[in-house]
Amino acid sequence: MDHTEFRVKAKEMVDYIADYLENIRDRRVYPGVQPGYLHKLLPTEAPEKPEKWDDIFKDVDQHIMPGLVHWQSPHMHAYFPALTSYPSIMGDMLSSALNVLCFTWASSPAGTELETIAMNWLGKLLGLPECFLNEKNDSPGGGVIQTTASEATLVSLLAARTRALMELSKLNPELQAAELLGHLICYCSDQAHSSVEKAGLIGLVRMRYIESDEGQSMRGAKLEEAIAADKEKGLVPFWVCATLGTTGSVAFDNLREIGQVCQKHGAWLHVDAAYAGSAFVCPEYRHWLDGVELADSFAFNPSKWLMVNFDCTAMWVKDSTALHRTFNVNPIYLRHENSGKAIDYMVGSQNEDIKKLTLKKINIMNDIDHPKADDNKVDNKFNKNNGVITQIENRNITKVDAVEVSTDVDGNIGKDDDLYDAVGDTKNLHGYNKISHGCGKIIQLEDPNKKELLHWQIPLSRRFRALKLWFVLRNYGVVGIQKHIREGVRLAQKFAALVLADPRFEIPQPSNLGMVAFRLKGDNAFTERLLKRLNARGYIHAVPACFKGIYVIRFTITSQRTTNQDILDDWNEIKIVASEILTDVFGSENGNIAVVKKPRISLKVHLFEPVYFCSSTQMG
Ligand code: PLP
C-alpha cells in the first residue's frame, strides 16, 4: 500500500469505524458462531503474492465481524466495560502511525513527558494524595501507564518482594535468596481478582486469602489476625493487595483499616481499583478511597470505564525507587545525555531511601556479583560528596553516610576487612542491590553527578499510550467524564429498581457503581439456565459470578451509548426468557411465587404490587 492508496483506504476505514459505532445498537452483541468457524473460512497458509486491500477487507466484513462480541454495544453487560471513544481512537491511530517507543526520555522526549503530565492530571482528577504525583523531578512518587491491571499488580508485588528480600538478606546474611523467599507471605481478600493469585505464582511467594465480610469486603481485623498468626510461624508478611471494586460484586476493601495493619507490619500495600478507579473522578465516590495515603501503589484501568481504549492501566507509586531496585538494568545503549532530568519510564526516581528499610549497615549499590571484563580497568573509587557518596566512574549515586570506600577489580568493595564490614556484606544481597557496570570508564556517557533513574515496568518497549489518555481528558474535560460515570451509575440503579420490582428476582448483594448482580430466586440452576439462554439468543450479553455458593448474573452498564430505553429493552428480554424457564419448570411464568393483587386504591399508586411469600430455597 502506498501513500496514495493509504489516503483513500484509511479514509474509508474511518467511515467504516464511524458507521460501526453509530449503528452498533443494531448488531447482535454475542456471536452465534461455533469454535473453529474461522478455521473453516480462511486458508491455512499466508498468501504467496500480495493481495488487494479490497479483497482483504471483504473478509473482515464477511468472516471476522460475525465472530466478534461487540463490546461497544449498549447491550453488552458482560465483564467490566472496555470502552473506547473517538478522541481515544484518534490517539491510538496517531500513536500507531508514529510508533514511537517511550522507554527512556531520549527515546521519545514528548512521549515520556506527556505521560508524566497526563498521569499527574489523572491522579489529581481522582483525588489521589500528592505523594503519588510527580510534579517535581525529585519527587519519589509518580504515575506510569502499564498495559494491564494484572501487570501493575505483578510489578507492585515484585517491587515489594525485592524490598523485603533486601532487608532480610541484610539481617540474615547466611541465607540464600531462595530460602528467604520461602519465608515471604502476602495477602489479598478471597474476592481479589485472579491476577493477584497469578502475581503470587509468578513471584514464587505464598499468598493467603483473607475471608471477606458479609459485604465482600476485606477488613483490617481479619488481616491482622492472619498476619499475627503467620508471624508466629516465622513467616514474613511483605505485601497486601486491597481491591476497590471487586470483580464479582464491586465490593470495596476497607483501605484505612488495611493500611493501618500494613503500616504496623511493614508490608507494602497495593490497591487494585481496576474498574472502580474511574468512579473516583466523581467526589461522591471517593469515600471508598479513604486511607489511600497509606498505600504504596495504586492502579486502575482507564481502559475500562474511562473511554480510553485498551491498553491503558494507570499506576502510581509513592516511591519509584522501589521499582528501580527491582527492574534496574542499565546497558549503555539506553543511557543518554539527559538522564536524570526527567522521568525515564525505563527508569525510576533514585530518591534513594534504602536506609529506611531497616538496613542497619551501609548499603552501596554495586554489581559485585557480576563484574564484567571491561570493569577490570575501572577504578571504581567512591568520593565523599556532601554526605553522599558518588561513584566516580559509574553512574550510581547512592546515599550513604560519609564513608570512603573503594571497589577492587573484581568489584569487591573495600580492600581491607574493616572497610568491607563498614559497607556491609553486599555479597549477601544475592544480586538484589545490583547495578550493572556497563562500560564504565571505557565509554563514559553519564555525568556521575546526575541522578540516573531506573526501571518502572517489566517490558522495555512501551507504546505512546499517553496520547490517547491526554486526548480523552482534554476532549471530554472533567465535566464530561464525570457526566459519563454518573450516567452509568444512574442506569445501573434504574436496572436494579426494575429487578427489585419483580418478585421472581433478587439482588443478593448491595449493588455498587455500574454493576448489578441479580438472580432468579431459588436454585442456582434457574439462574444458570437463564444466563445460558440469554447469551445464546445474543441480544444481550452477560457473565456470571458466585458469592459464597450463590450464582448470580453480573449485569454491568458498559457502554456510553446505553440509554433508558436500552435498559428497558434488556430487562424485557430478561423477563421473557425468565418466564419461559419458569413456565418450563413450574408451568407458570411466576414459578412458585404467588403474586397477590392489591385492591385498587388510587390511580396514582401502583395498580399491582406483587407479594411473594416463599423463601428462595422453597423455589428450588
Ligand atoms: N483486577 C480487577 C479487580 C479486575 O476486575 C480485573 C479485570 O476485570 C483485573 C484486575 C484484571 O485487569 P487486566 O485485564 O487489566 O489485567
Side-chain angles (χ1 to χ4, degrees), residues 121-149:
W121 283 13
L122 189 59
K124 287 183 194 171
L125 190 53
L126 261 58
L128 291 184
E130 211 182 301
C131 55
F132 288 108
L133 307 181
N134 193 290
E135 297 200 283
K136 300 177 207 103
N137 192 35
D138 61 353
S139 155
V144 59
I145 303 179
Q146 305 281 5
T147 52
T148 59

Side-chain angles (χ1 to χ4, degrees), residues 80 148-150 193 195 243 245 247 272 274 301 304 313:
F80 279 137
T148 59
S150 308
H193 189 260
S195 53
T243 310
T247 317
D272 174 9
N301 286 2
K304 283 188 160 44
T313 292

Side-chain angles (χ1 to χ4, degrees), residues 79-80 147-153 191-196 243-248 272-276 301 303-304 310 312-313 554:
Y79 315 106
F80 279 137
T147 52
T148 59
S150 308
E151 195 169 314
T153 301
Q191 298 300 311
H193 189 260
S194 57
S195 53
V196 182
T243 310
L244 295 184
T246 58
T247 317
D272 174 9
Y275 161 71
N301 286 2
S303 61
K304 283 188 160 44
F310 188 82
C312 183
T313 292
R554 292 168 79 268

